[in-house]
Amino acid sequence: MRKIPTNSKPSPGKAELPLDLSGPHVTPGASAQQRLYQALCHAILGGIVKPGEPLPPSRTLARQTGFRRNAVVTAYERLIADGFAVATTGSGTFVAARIPARAREAPKPKITIDAPQQGALALGCTHIDGRALQRFRAFVGRRMRAFSAEHFHYGDPRGSRELRAAIADHLLSARGLRCDPEQIMLTSGTLHGLRIVLSAILKPGDQIWCEDPGYPIARRTIEHCGYRAVPVPVDASGMVVANGRARAPAAPAAYVTPSHQFPLGVQMSMPRRLELLDWAREADAFVFEDDYDSEFRYDGAPLLSLAGIDHLRRVIYMGTFAKTLFPGLRIGYCALPEKLIGPVTAARAALDRFPGTLMEGAVADMLNSGAFAANLKKVRRLYREARDVLASTLSAASDGELSVPVPSQGLHLVARFDASTEPLVASQAKSAAGVEGWLLAETYHRARPLPGFVLGFAGHDLPQLKASAERLAKASLATLRESRKPRARGTKTPTARATL
């Protein structure tokens, strides 16, 4: 086996590297650095460049391929991270002397985060900037190389203090919420945190206020755990607290999305927030604040969190990295009132001992290094553009039959028909268009559902997003026209109520 020279520079003969940038080994539509990385892997595995041989300087390869130099540098960094290449200071980048055994088979095109496998308009999709992804990979690699004793024993049920401290700093700067790292508990997501805290503070059969319409998966979780969800209507100012008082004045908990109500997108007004906190104090109750997408605000600074107003006395704040990084991390967190730290920690220890430790350090590095904030800044611009494309396309292609308020925050929007529209129109149009997303009716519990759609715009390619929106708008028009045709005498108008 040839050894990598330590004091040689890439030879001129290797400056022009034959690369196949359009073969089946390259993912169509992938980013420049991803296509270049795949082409380089193909050349290395195919023997075009041998182990130990030099790769062209980044500027040379940039001129040859027409890509920007930073795309070449990023591709080289990924080759090094994956073991295909090594870099020698002052000498350049070389093919590794030994290629990873797992890669000796013919390479297959990789699915990247840039190409989500859910259809356009689906909720829950995200995007991560290429540079941020590279930094995350580097942080994970560094943490794995420095594998420490902490992974060989059971840890704190709340998770690593390092990540909890980084989250506490983030909450103070981004949400105006001051808390000690001791008050933070890491979870595998919002629903996981909800289950843990509920088990610590409630008993089976207890009532919990839930927004109607609201997040149906949270309501199902609450009911599955043996608690009773009390539907409380939502208006333009958020949850109608007076209605909750009338229906269940002594309920020990409420679940709300005050910064960006799901699904309607309204913001809970300050008078309504104070009214909710007054009730919680009077009833000796706790409020779960699900702040699921506050980092994605497009007009002005984010509103102060409910927990920030309350100073974490009666509010349990819940956040997640599923939207700000990617769902596969399975890392969320709760910020707890001091009086709940003991019982909630005990409940966590009884439920699943402690969270996984391998990714915690890398996420802490993302937060502490500034890479997390830089990624948010970049993807916020992408999501704003996607939001505008989706809203304008739906409005124009539906001839105004769909009302599409443009949200100032979040990763989804609501497209509504006139309230007098037959209930089946939305479901028939969605089925005919073959698109993802939710029916607005699916988010209602007892209130009369409005006809319309809840549509995601984050993490989708713009052309696919636009095409899907056009299909849905056209299907909506066709279904509306059909529903307005005169019916034969005696024919009943179909009615439907979506159930979950």
Side-chain angles (χ1 to χ4, degrees), residues 347-408:
R348 173 60 182 276
L351 182 65
D352 63 353
R353 297 294 293 271
F354 70 106
T357 58
L358 283 176
M359 291 293 107
E360 290 178 349
V363 176
D365 289 339
M366 289 290 287
L367 286 164
N368 293 330
S369 67
F372 180 81
N375 178 65
L376 283 181
K377 185 176 181 180
K378 290 183 179 180
V379 298
R380 195 180 289 121
R381 289 198 299 267
L382 294 177
Y383 293 167
R384 182 183 188 124
E385 182 181 5
R387 175 203 67 176
D388 294 344
V389 166
L390 178 57
S392 61
T393 302
L394 287 171
S395 296
S398 68
D399 289 344
E401 293 286 0
L402 284 173
S403 172
V404 191
V406 180
S408 61

Side-chain angles (χ1 to χ4, degrees), residues 1-5 14 17-18 40-56 84-86 93-99 104:
M1 184 72 67
R2 293 180 56 185
K3 298 199 177 197
I4 298 171
K14 286 295 181 183
L17 179 63
L40 287 165
C41 285
H42 181 71
I44 292 170
L45 295 170
I48 296 173
V49 282
K50 307 293 185 184
E53 287 190 346
L55 294 170
F84 290 103
V86 294
T93 304
F94 299 83
V95 178
R98 298 185 64 183
I99 304 301
R104 292 191 181 279

Side-chain angles (χ1 to χ4, degrees), residues 227-312:
Y227 310 110
R228 291 184 292 161
V230 178
V232 180
V234 174
D235 63 16
S237 296
M239 175 183 273
V240 182
V241 177
N243 190 285
R245 283 182 179 270
R247 294 188 179 192
Y255 169 87
V256 293
T257 54
S259 294
H260 186 232
Q261 199 275 332
F262 187 91
L264 299 181
V266 300
Q267 298 168 3
M268 182 178 280
S269 67
M270 186 57 70
R272 198 66 63 79
R273 291 173 183 235
L274 297 177
E275 187 181 359
L276 179 62
L277 294 176
D278 286 343
W279 163 78
R281 284 190 292 270
E282 294 167 12
D284 194 23
F286 289 98
V287 176
F288 289 85
E289 179 181 15
D290 187 348
D291 205 30
Y292 64 101
D293 64 4
S294 63
E295 289 89 351
F296 300 102
R297 185 164 175 80
Y298 309 109
D299 302 310
L303 298 176
L304 184 65
S305 66
L306 193 64
I309 300 171
D310 176 63
H311 302 296
L312 274 183

Side-chain angles (χ1 to χ4, degrees), residues 119-123 430 435-439 442 453-456:
L121 307 184
L123 281 71
K430 182 174 179 290
V435 298
E436 300 289 337
W438 291 7
L439 296 174
E442 292 175 326
F453 313 100
V454 184
L455 307 172

